Amino acid sequence: NLRGWAGVIAHSQEQSSFAPAGGLLAKDSKSSARSLCLRPELLHDEPDWFWHNESASLCEAASPGLGVAACCFGWADVAFLPVAAHAAFREGAAAFASVQCEVAIPTLLNWIARRGVARFGRVSCLGGSNVRLSAARGVGALCAHRIDLKYFAQRGGGGHQAQRARCSLSEAPQPSFPGEPAAPQVEADDGGACWFTLARVNLPNPPRQ
């Protein structure tokens, strides 16, 4: 819900970073683990999350060079980073390039906050990385994942399945990105939508973006 996110950002008292407060699958494979930050000496006894790909050890190893006081984990599929924090994030990202994103991103946002660059706010989102929600539950939520978007395509037809869309590459919107995009693909689904996808897009990294 981009309008909802815009409201959260606009009403923050100062420039702040935001990420979900929870959403990762917990060790019991049933519940959601809330985002948490721990001092390095406590990482290996943390009971709630998996710390995939040796991320606890890698975070602990990368922390001293930046003065990182705590390693964090959290749902990293969506986050907001204000322009004022971009330089610090680039600095930290270089040191944490080998650390799992669910650890690297919340750890760096917390580190940036402790440096006084931008506060780190955690927002409540429905669902999580391994959850499927009904579309009706996601309507009006600040953020929700995962939702079958065919629900919205079918609403205008009284709940009946929309006719399969006819798609062609010539009708698809062409990307306005700089660089050399890979060959695009267009695919119709049974919900009446045309999906335009690119395997990858090479983008430059201009300042302030």
Side-chain angles (χ1 to χ4, degrees), residues 8 10 28 67 71 95 97 114 117 130 153 174 191 203:
V8 169
D28 63 10
C71 288
R114 290 178 64 89
V117 177
N130 292 76
Q174 297 302 305
L203 296 175

Side-chain angles (χ1 to χ4, degrees), residues 39-158:
R39 297 194 307 274
E41 63 268 23
L42 301 177
L43 292 179
H44 302 283
D45 296 323
E46 196 283 312
D48 294 329
W49 192 59
F50 299 96
W51 296 90
H52 302 285
N53 299 326
E54 301 180 355
S55 52
S57 298
L58 291 172
C59 182
E60 186 177 9
S63 294
L66 289 176
V68 170
C71 288
C72 311
F73 66 83
W75 189 15
D77 287 298
V78 61
F80 171 78
L81 189 71
V83 170
H86 285 192
F89 188 84
R90 283 195 296 269
E91 177 189 353
F96 275 72
S98 62
V99 181
Q100 178 90 3
C101 64
E102 285 90 354
V103 173
I105 291 175
T107 296
L108 292 177
L109 296 185
N110 185 63
W111 170 68
I112 287 169
R114 290 178 64 89
R115 291 179 63 182
V117 177
R119 294 179 59 201
F120 180 18
R122 292 175 173 85
V123 296
S124 179
C125 296
L126 290 178
S129 57
N130 292 76
V131 177
R132 292 188 178 184
L133 297 172
S134 68
R137 282 196 64 196
V139 174
L142 182 62
C143 46
H145 184 72
R146 291 176 293 170
I147 290 175
D148 185 353
L149 297 180
K150 290 179 183 177
Y151 167 86
F152 297 101
Q154 296 165 5
R155 288 183 70 185

